[in-house]
């Protein structure tokens, strides 16, 4: 554990060092050490109430840690002022658990929101960018609809469009498959994979869905009792699973182990 | 509580009283007695902090005039039917009561003045505020509350948009601006209601009634009402935004927040009314012209 800033790395887009966060008497994050690999799908797994969402909000600077550092492209974002943190946030797009589309706006206005808020662009340009993106995400013909008129899966794709419209480098997904049926879950998994490939973004996915995790994850980190207890590629993790991870994986039924801890 | 030094951990133990019990009894009594006022003060402080931040964002870019106009439309134009309806009947009832009372002395011609002044100073601002609390205040609390629980407020932050500036400031400012306008509408409609009851139905002489109204009603009666209504607007919008903005949990909590917004909003309007009369009567003493 070093306090010195890690060198700007080609491989790691985000590096979290010794991150602590408490809410009142509750010590939620207890010394997080986490590396997010550039251009890959990074999955953070953990049970409910382990602090996954809190960790994700730190990555984007939505919450400030008590102590510790978060380096985004080598720049420490802890303690930045409003303006600087605003610049950092432009590197991010976030897809919320239940899409969090603005229900007073239609699809186009929702997707265009980051552009209209951040820049003074001519309306025609905004519209063409929005239409292109909706087309690429397989969402033609929904432009004038309101979020309430869309299905859960479509809402998620519109939320993805809104997160992608300003060409972020990093996409955060907060439990993207919660509340979806198995087919829709598979579609969302594919959407995440395809987005990572097509748009070349670094994806960070918070999940407790083990089947999805092993389907789409390039790197997996396990959050347990406020710390990252295991991280690596799926193969690395399964080769020598941490007891908490093993229990998690076994209970979910996604992967089975034999008596010696090898994958069946 | 005690005059002892602040660092002393326990109060002086009296002889015969077990040391372990005396503080706990004291603490219990103190928490029962001081709990509600302290809670009130804490909530008041949080309202003021929200207000402070909302007002500070008025002067900081980016400016979004569209949001202000939208809110003015919601609070004002949207409340127009209910304000008109209530205004008409308030004026009508007020005229009916006044005429029947003044009839005892055959002084019905004072009805215009009485109804006009009571509308201007009290009825119009208070009733308008109550109507707008019920309609727009509840709407604001519900909207902000459901935006909170569906993470729409969090998602604003991810686009580097300040949610207080985007959501709270326009609502508070719009309500402050629109309330006097709505109060004036209430006044005019209320006078129409009074006219129908007093002149048309009770056959009070219009010339005398209108002349007395014109002579005795002062602009300060209207100023007082309009100033009060702007303050009411601030109070009801702030209460509604505070309740909606701070929802935690699910749909049930949104409902509770809405109820609180209406109850606290209405109560604060009526309580403020008293203090505002006291303050404004320093500027415009009663009976003065």
């Amino acid at each position: 554990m070093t306090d010195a800033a890690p060198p700007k790395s080609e491989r790691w887009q985000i590096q979290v060092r010794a991150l602590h966060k408490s809410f009142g008497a509750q010590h939620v994050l207890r010394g997080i050490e986490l590396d997010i690999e550039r251009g890959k799908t990074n999955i953070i797994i953990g049970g409910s109430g382990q602090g996954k969402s809190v960790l994700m909000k730190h990555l984007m600077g939505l919450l400030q840690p008590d102590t510790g550092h978060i380096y985004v492209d080598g720049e420490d974002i802890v303690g930045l002022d409003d303006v600087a943190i605003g610049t950092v946030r432009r590197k991010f797009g976030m897809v919320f658990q239940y899409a969090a589309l603005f229900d007073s706006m239609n699809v186009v206005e929702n997707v265009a929101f980051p552009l209209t808020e951040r820049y003074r662009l001519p309306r025609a340009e905004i519209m063409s960018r929005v239409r292109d993106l909706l087309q690429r995400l397989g969402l033609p013909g929904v432009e004038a609809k309101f979020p309430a008129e869309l299905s859960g899966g479509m809402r998620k794709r519109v939320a993805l469009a809104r997160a992608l419209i300003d060409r972020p480098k990093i996409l955060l997904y907060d439990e993207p498959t919660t509340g979806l049926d198995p087919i829709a879950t598979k579609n969302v998994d594919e959407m995440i994979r395809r987005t990572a490939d097509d748009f070349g973004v670094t994806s960070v996915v918070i999940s407790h869905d083990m089947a999805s995790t092993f389907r789409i994850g390039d790197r997996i980190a396990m959050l347990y009792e406020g710390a990252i207890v295991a991280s690596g590629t799926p193969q690395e993790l399964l080769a020598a699973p941490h007891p908490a991870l093993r229990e998690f994986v076994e209970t979910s039924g996604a992967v089975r182990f034999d008596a010696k801890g090898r994958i069946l | 509580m005690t005059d002892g030094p602040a660092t002393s951990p326990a109060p002086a133990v009296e002889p015969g009283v077990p040391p372990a019990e005396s503080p706990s009894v004291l603490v219990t009594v103190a928490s029962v007695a001081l709990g509600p006022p302290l809670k009130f003060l804490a909530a008041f402080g949080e309202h003021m902090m929200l207000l402070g931040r909302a007002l500070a964002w008025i002067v900081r870019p980016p400016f979004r005039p569209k949001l202000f106009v939208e809110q003015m439309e919601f609070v004002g134009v949207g409340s127009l039917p209910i304000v008109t309806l209530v205004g008409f009947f308030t004026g009508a009832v007020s005229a009916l009561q006044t005429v029947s009372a003044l009839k005892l002395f055959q002084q019905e011609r004072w009805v215009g003045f009485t109804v006009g002044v009571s509308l201007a100073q009290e009825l119009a601002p208070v009733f308008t505020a109550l109507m707008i609390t019920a309609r727009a205040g509840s709407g604001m609390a519900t909207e902000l509350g459901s935006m909170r629980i569906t993470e729409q407020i969090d998602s604003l932050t991810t686009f580097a948009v300040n949610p207080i500036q985007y959501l709270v400031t326009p609502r508070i400012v719009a309500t402050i601006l629109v309330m006097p306008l709505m109060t004036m509408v209430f006044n005019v409609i209320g006078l129409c209601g009074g006219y129908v009851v007093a002149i048309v139905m009770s056959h009070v002489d219009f010339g005398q009634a209108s002349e007395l109204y014109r002579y005795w009603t002062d602009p300060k009666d209207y100023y007082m009402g309009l100033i009060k209504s702007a303050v009411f607007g601030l109070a009801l919008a702030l209460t509604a935004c505070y309740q909606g903005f701070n929802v935690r949990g699910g749909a049930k909590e949104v409902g509770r927040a809405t109820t609180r917004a209406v109850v606290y909003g209405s109560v604060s309007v009526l309580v403020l009314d008293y203090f505002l009369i006291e303050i404004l009567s320093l500027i415009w003493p009663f009976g003065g012209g």
Side-chain angles (χ1 to χ4, degrees), chain A residues 60 96 101-103 113 117, chain B residues 64 150-152 155 158 166:
Chain A
M60 205 173 167
F96 283 85
L101 297 173
F102 302 119
D103 38 33
F113 189 82
E117 278 304 319
Chain B
R64 302 179 182 88
T150 55
E151 295 183 311
Q152 290 177 50
S155 76
T158 66
Y166 196 84

Side-chain angles (χ1 to χ4, degrees), chain A residues 192-209:
Chain A
I192 293 173
R193 264 262 64 108
R194 211 165 338 113
T195 307
D197 297 341
D198 292 0
F199 294 84
V201 293
T202 304
S203 311
V204 181
V205 184
I206 282 183
S207 181
H208 52 225
D209 182 338

Side-chain angles (χ1 to χ4, degrees), chain A residues 19 33 69 73 170 191:
Chain A
L19 190 72
E33 304 278 332
H69 300 279
D73 290 331
I170 307 154
M191 171 186 97

Side-chain angles (χ1 to χ4, degrees), chain B residues 141-158:
Chain B
T142 312
E143 189 181 2
L144 295 190
S146 46
M147 287 186 78
R148 169 65 79 189
I149 63 168
T150 55
E151 295 183 311
Q152 290 177 50
I153 293 183
D154 293 319
S155 76
L156 277 178
T157 319
T158 66

